[in-house]
Structures are given as C-alpha cells and as structure tokens.
Amino acid sequence: LRIAEGLGDVGVVTLVGPAGTGKTRLAQRAAARELESNRWPGGVWFCDLVECRELADVLRVVEAALGTKSLSEREDADRTRTLGDALAQRAQSLIVLDNCEQVLAAVGTVLDVWVLSAPDCRFLTTSQEALRMPGERVLRIHPLDSEEGVALFLERAQSVRPGLQLTDEDQVTLREIVEELDGLPLALELAAGRSRMMSLRQLRERLDRRFDLLRGRERG
C-alpha cells in the first residue's frame, strides 16, 4: 500500500534494504498488483540490472525490456534522451529498475532525464542504498522480526518436509536460528530448505559455517 501511494505522488520510489531482505520479491509483487489495477495504460515494465556495471548496460537492459530499437552505436547521452522520448510516448507507464546498487550513478543519470522527459511515468527501484536524487521517496525494507521469521521458516520448511511438527525445544532452537540469521528472508528460506536433510538442532549447530551450509548448487 505504501508503494502504491508513493507511486501516485512522486516520480521515483526506491525500496532500500540489505541484501536478502526481499526487495526484489516485494517489487515484483507491487508491479503485479499495479498491472492488475489498470492505472498504467502505458504498461508495467521490469528491468533487472543485476548484471549491469555501467550506463551503457543499464540502457541496453531498458531498451530490451521496452522492446525499443537498440541504439548501441550512439553516445550514451543520446540513447538516454531517445529512451526518455520513448517513455513520454507511453504515458502513464511504470518502470521497475531492480538491483540498482552497483550502478547508482548510472541510474541516477538516466532518471534525472527520464523523470523530466516523461512526467506521467513512474519508476520503482530497488537498491541497498538510496539513489539520493531530488524527489525520490525512500521506503526502507527491514529484516523480519522473530515472529515473522519463525512463520516464514515454517512455511518453507513444511513445503519440503510435509507434516513437520515442532517440539518445545524445536521452538527455542528455531528462534535462535532466526536471530542468528538476522531475520533475513533469503537466508531463512535457504536454511528451511536444509530442514529436509537435518534437524533444527543440527542446523543451529552448523550455522557457524552458515555460508557453506546455505550455499546452493544452482546457478541462481
């Protein structure tokens, strides 16, 4: 609700929080809800900047998401202005720019232009830091508290281990796991996936080596 309200008032809303707090998932859910609201006749567009390292990369990703012609042969400033004109023609569009932290300066550069070029468009960004640009509304995403963390862990653990029941000792151990993992949703989900192979006590004991324990083999 706070995201929707922010998008109605300002050009740029940024979800800020540490890695693993669920910023991407929250942005995706917000974008899906906005798409259903029908208040963006120009469309809702998702741009993942996780592999971007410079301005040209950001422009390439946005061009691909919008389905506009690639202008890679032009200077970045010209490409930025051209994309701004394209956005202006798609009045009332919502553009989601995910994982901006490693290209903060580049994102700030393009948004300085696009917010002016396309005042009817809105931009939802996610980052570990605020963009620090005029008119930006920052919504800080905090780790889960103890109750929320326990609920998330149980939901994920029961999906891989149906019928999982907790003893009183397990309840205490689970709260220790949530505290040890700082309430970070991603870490809790990864830990919950390991409950198929080990008990909560074993999980807790191995969290001293948590980066080895939680690292998956999938590329993602």
Side-chain angles (χ1 to χ4, degrees):
L1 181 58
R2 292 174 61 200
I3 295 174
E5 291 174 349
L7 292 172
D9 298 334
V10 297
V12 180
V13 174
T14 302
L15 307 183
V16 174
T21 49
K23 300 183 297 296
T24 294
R25 181 177 299 177
L26 182 57
Q28 290 172 334
R29 289 181 178 177
R33 179 173 294 183
E34 290 299 314
L35 185 61
E36 293 175 354
S37 73
N38 295 319
R39 68 168 176 161
W40 306 104
V44 176
W45 311 90
F46 189 88
C47 307
D48 187 357
L49 308 183
V50 69
E51 295 185 358
C52 295
R53 295 297 179 268
E54 57 186 12
L55 177 55
D57 297 330
V58 174
L59 296 171
R60 171 180 51 78
V61 170
V62 176
E63 287 170 346
L66 295 177
T68 61
K69 180 181 177 181
S70 175
L71 302 174
S72 56
E73 73 282 358
R74 299 188 185 179
E75 295 293 330
D76 289 345
D78 189 20
R79 293 174 71 185
T80 299
R81 289 191 296 270
T82 300
L83 272 173
D85 294 339
L87 287 169
Q89 295 174 9
R90 305 186 186 204
Q92 294 178 290
S93 296
L94 172 61
I95 314 300
V96 181
L97 301 175
D98 189 34
N99 295 303
C100 295
E101 52 271 355
Q102 72 277 2
V103 281
L104 284 176
V107 172
T109 296
V110 297
L111 289 184
D112 280 340
V113 175
W114 295 346
V115 168
L116 294 177
S117 300
D120 290 334
C121 292
R122 295 293 183 268
F123 300 88
L124 175 61
T125 71
T126 76
S127 177
Q128 294 180 32
E129 301 178 51
L131 301 177
R132 297 184 178 88
M133 58 178 297
E136 175 190 19
R137 175 168 296 182
V138 175
L139 299 180
R140 298 202 174 273
I141 310 303
H142 299 285
L144 303 177
D145 62 28
S146 179
E147 295 298 326
E148 293 170 332
V150 166
L152 176 62
F153 184 98
L154 282 177
E155 177 185 337
R156 298 296 187 266
Q158 288 171 345
S159 70
V160 299
R161 190 175 168 186
L164 174 66
Q165 298 295 324
L166 301 185
T167 65
D168 291 342
E169 181 182 358
D170 288 336
Q171 293 280 1
V172 173
T173 302
L174 180 49
R175 291 183 184 279
E176 291 176 352
I177 291 173
V178 173
E179 181 178 353
E180 181 70 18
L181 295 177
D182 298 322
L184 293 175
L186 177 58
L188 289 169
E189 291 188 2
L190 292 171
R194 298 296 187 266
S195 66
R196 174 165 45 190
M197 301 173 288
M198 60 185 72
S199 68
L200 292 183
R201 175 52 58 186
Q202 289 173 318
L203 267 173
R204 177 66 186 87
E205 291 172 349
R206 297 186 186 192
L207 282 180
D208 288 338
R209 296 184 290 108
R210 58 185 173 274
F211 295 112
D212 288 331
L213 173 66
L214 301 183
R215 182 173 58 216
R217 297 189 180 187
E218 298 83 0
R219 288 179 54 197

